[in-house]
mmCIF file of all heavy atoms in Angstrom:
data_model
loop_
_atom_site.group_PDB
_atom_site.id
_atom_site.type_symbol
_atom_site.label_atom_id
_atom_site.label_comp_id
_atom_site.label_asym_id
_atom_site.label_seq_id
_atom_site.Cartn_x
_atom_site.Cartn_y
_atom_site.Cartn_z
ATOM 1 N N GLN B 340 -11.087 24.680 15.850
ATOM 2 C CA GLN B 340 -11.625 23.981 17.007
ATOM 3 C C GLN B 340 -12.979 24.561 17.522
ATOM 4 O O GLN B 340 -13.835 23.851 18.027
ATOM 5 C CB GLN B 340 -10.629 24.045 18.259
ATOM 6 C CG GLN B 340 -9.448 23.116 18.019
ATOM 7 C CD GLN B 340 -9.847 21.616 18.086
ATOM 8 O OE1 GLN B 340 -11.045 21.342 18.516
ATOM 9 N NE2 GLN B 340 -9.035 20.752 17.672
ATOM 10 N N MET B 341 -13.075 25.897 17.251
ATOM 11 C CA MET B 341 -14.343 26.524 17.709
ATOM 12 C C MET B 341 -15.540 25.789 17.186
ATOM 13 O O MET B 341 -16.500 25.565 17.948
ATOM 14 C CB MET B 341 -14.350 27.990 17.218
ATOM 15 C CG MET B 341 -15.204 28.969 17.941
ATOM 16 S SD MET B 341 -15.443 30.534 17.099
ATOM 17 C CE MET B 341 -13.767 31.128 17.042
ATOM 18 N N LEU B 342 -15.502 25.480 15.962
ATOM 19 C CA LEU B 342 -16.603 24.803 15.332
ATOM 20 C C LEU B 342 -16.543 23.223 15.607
ATOM 21 O O LEU B 342 -17.544 22.524 15.934
ATOM 22 C CB LEU B 342 -16.759 25.045 13.826
ATOM 23 C CG LEU B 342 -17.870 24.259 13.092
ATOM 24 C CD1 LEU B 342 -19.264 24.677 13.666
ATOM 25 C CD2 LEU B 342 -17.817 24.522 11.646
ATOM 26 N N GLN B 343 -15.319 22.710 15.475
ATOM 27 C CA GLN B 343 -15.189 21.275 15.513
ATOM 28 C C GLN B 343 -15.531 20.656 16.897
ATOM 29 O O GLN B 343 -16.083 19.536 16.928
ATOM 30 C CB GLN B 343 -13.798 20.847 15.097
ATOM 31 C CG GLN B 343 -13.444 21.195 13.680
ATOM 32 C CD GLN B 343 -12.217 20.593 13.048
ATOM 33 O OE1 GLN B 343 -11.572 19.785 13.767
ATOM 34 N NE2 GLN B 343 -11.994 20.749 11.806
ATOM 35 N N LYS B 344 -15.408 21.359 17.917
ATOM 36 C CA LYS B 344 -15.752 20.855 19.220
ATOM 37 C C LYS B 344 -17.241 20.816 19.404
ATOM 38 O O LYS B 344 -17.738 20.202 20.294
ATOM 39 C CB LYS B 344 -14.934 21.512 20.353
ATOM 40 C CG LYS B 344 -15.216 22.918 20.615
ATOM 41 C CD LYS B 344 -14.439 23.523 21.742
ATOM 42 C CE LYS B 344 -14.907 24.900 22.061
ATOM 43 N NZ LYS B 344 -13.916 25.805 22.358
ATOM 44 N N GLN B 345 -17.929 21.675 18.613
ATOM 45 C CA GLN B 345 -19.402 21.688 18.695
ATOM 46 C C GLN B 345 -19.979 20.473 17.842
ATOM 47 O O GLN B 345 -21.036 20.098 18.109
ATOM 48 C CB GLN B 345 -19.849 23.062 18.058
ATOM 49 C CG GLN B 345 -21.288 23.228 18.017
ATOM 50 C CD GLN B 345 -21.757 24.461 17.214
ATOM 51 O OE1 GLN B 345 -21.200 25.568 17.464
ATOM 52 N NE2 GLN B 345 -22.610 24.367 16.268
ATOM 53 N N LEU B 346 -19.265 20.081 16.777
ATOM 54 C CA LEU B 346 -19.815 19.053 15.921
ATOM 55 C C LEU B 346 -19.655 17.601 16.529
ATOM 56 O O LEU B 346 -18.705 17.382 17.184
ATOM 57 C CB LEU B 346 -19.108 19.040 14.592
ATOM 58 C CG LEU B 346 -19.295 20.321 13.770
ATOM 59 C CD1 LEU B 346 -18.412 20.353 12.494
ATOM 60 C CD2 LEU B 346 -20.720 20.545 13.396
ATOM 61 N N ASP B 347 -20.680 16.823 16.243
ATOM 62 C CA ASP B 347 -20.698 15.430 16.862
ATOM 63 C C ASP B 347 -19.668 14.604 16.107
ATOM 64 O O ASP B 347 -19.785 14.352 14.831
ATOM 65 C CB ASP B 347 -22.091 14.866 16.684
ATOM 66 C CG ASP B 347 -22.282 13.521 17.357
ATOM 67 O OD1 ASP B 347 -21.227 12.822 17.594
ATOM 68 O OD2 ASP B 347 -23.462 13.203 17.650
ATOM 69 N N PRO B 348 -18.672 14.117 16.821
ATOM 70 C CA PRO B 348 -17.561 13.307 16.102
ATOM 71 C C PRO B 348 -18.013 11.992 15.601
ATOM 72 O O PRO B 348 -17.301 11.378 14.837
ATOM 73 C CB PRO B 348 -16.528 13.123 17.260
ATOM 74 C CG PRO B 348 -17.349 13.275 18.495
ATOM 75 C CD PRO B 348 -18.464 14.215 18.246
ATOM 76 N N ARG B 349 -19.280 11.584 15.899
ATOM 77 C CA ARG B 349 -19.684 10.254 15.438
ATOM 78 C C ARG B 349 -20.122 10.342 13.924
ATOM 79 O O ARG B 349 -20.301 9.329 13.262
ATOM 80 C CB ARG B 349 -20.877 9.764 16.226
ATOM 81 C CG ARG B 349 -20.481 9.374 17.675
ATOM 82 C CD ARG B 349 -21.717 8.960 18.447
ATOM 83 N NE ARG B 349 -22.641 10.111 18.500
ATOM 84 C CZ ARG B 349 -23.930 10.039 18.945
ATOM 85 N NH1 ARG B 349 -24.412 8.834 19.340
ATOM 86 N NH2 ARG B 349 -24.656 11.124 18.969
ATOM 87 N N TYR B 350 -20.349 11.568 13.404
ATOM 88 C CA TYR B 350 -20.816 11.679 12.008
ATOM 89 C C TYR B 350 -19.776 12.444 11.239
ATOM 90 O O TYR B 350 -19.081 13.383 11.787
ATOM 91 C CB TYR B 350 -22.079 12.445 11.978
ATOM 92 C CG TYR B 350 -23.248 11.822 12.805
ATOM 93 C CD1 TYR B 350 -23.517 12.162 14.117
ATOM 94 C CD2 TYR B 350 -23.972 10.733 12.231
ATOM 95 C CE1 TYR B 350 -24.516 11.522 14.849
ATOM 96 C CE2 TYR B 350 -24.918 10.154 12.922
ATOM 97 C CZ TYR B 350 -25.218 10.494 14.185
ATOM 98 O OH TYR B 350 -26.170 9.830 14.918
ATOM 99 N N PRO B 351 -19.567 12.047 9.971
ATOM 100 C CA PRO B 351 -18.668 12.809 9.160
ATOM 101 C C PRO B 351 -19.170 14.259 8.996
ATOM 102 O O PRO B 351 -20.335 14.503 8.985
ATOM 103 C CB PRO B 351 -18.710 12.104 7.841
ATOM 104 C CG PRO B 351 -19.834 11.125 7.798
ATOM 105 C CD PRO B 351 -20.201 10.917 9.259
ATOM 106 N N ALA B 352 -18.186 15.163 8.920
ATOM 107 C CA ALA B 352 -18.541 16.592 8.769
ATOM 108 C C ALA B 352 -17.753 17.143 7.617
ATOM 109 O O ALA B 352 -16.542 17.056 7.653
ATOM 110 C CB ALA B 352 -18.316 17.352 10.100
ATOM 111 N N PRO B 353 -18.376 17.675 6.643
ATOM 112 C CA PRO B 353 -19.837 17.597 6.355
ATOM 113 C C PRO B 353 -20.293 16.218 5.957
ATOM 114 O O PRO B 353 -19.461 15.417 5.558
ATOM 115 C CB PRO B 353 -20.047 18.648 5.342
ATOM 116 C CG PRO B 353 -18.740 18.585 4.567
ATOM 117 C CD PRO B 353 -17.660 18.281 5.541
ATOM 118 N N GLN B 354 -21.592 15.998 5.937
ATOM 119 C CA GLN B 354 -22.149 14.775 5.454
ATOM 120 C C GLN B 354 -23.032 15.092 4.291
ATOM 121 O O GLN B 354 -23.724 16.034 4.315
ATOM 122 C CB GLN B 354 -22.927 14.125 6.671
ATOM 123 C CG GLN B 354 -23.310 12.599 6.368
ATOM 124 C CD GLN B 354 -24.036 11.973 7.537
ATOM 125 O OE1 GLN B 354 -24.624 12.664 8.368
ATOM 126 N NE2 GLN B 354 -23.927 10.686 7.676
ATOM 127 N N HIS B 355 -22.967 14.181 3.252
ATOM 128 C CA HIS B 355 -23.947 14.313 2.100
ATOM 129 C C HIS B 355 -25.290 13.715 2.470
ATOM 130 O O HIS B 355 -25.386 12.733 3.203
ATOM 131 C CB HIS B 355 -23.284 13.588 0.943
ATOM 132 C CG HIS B 355 -23.891 14.026 -0.370
ATOM 133 N ND1 HIS B 355 -25.098 13.538 -0.856
ATOM 134 C CD2 HIS B 355 -23.457 14.897 -1.343
ATOM 135 C CE1 HIS B 355 -25.393 14.113 -2.014
ATOM 136 N NE2 HIS B 355 -24.371 14.914 -2.361
#
Side-chain angles (χ1 to χ4, degrees):
Chain B
Q340 283 296 346
M341 202 192 298
L342 177 62
Q343 297 198 355
K344 64 181 189 225
Q345 176 190 312
L346 296 174
D347 189 334
R349 291 174 302 169
Y350 300 98
Q354 191 175 26
H355 195 280

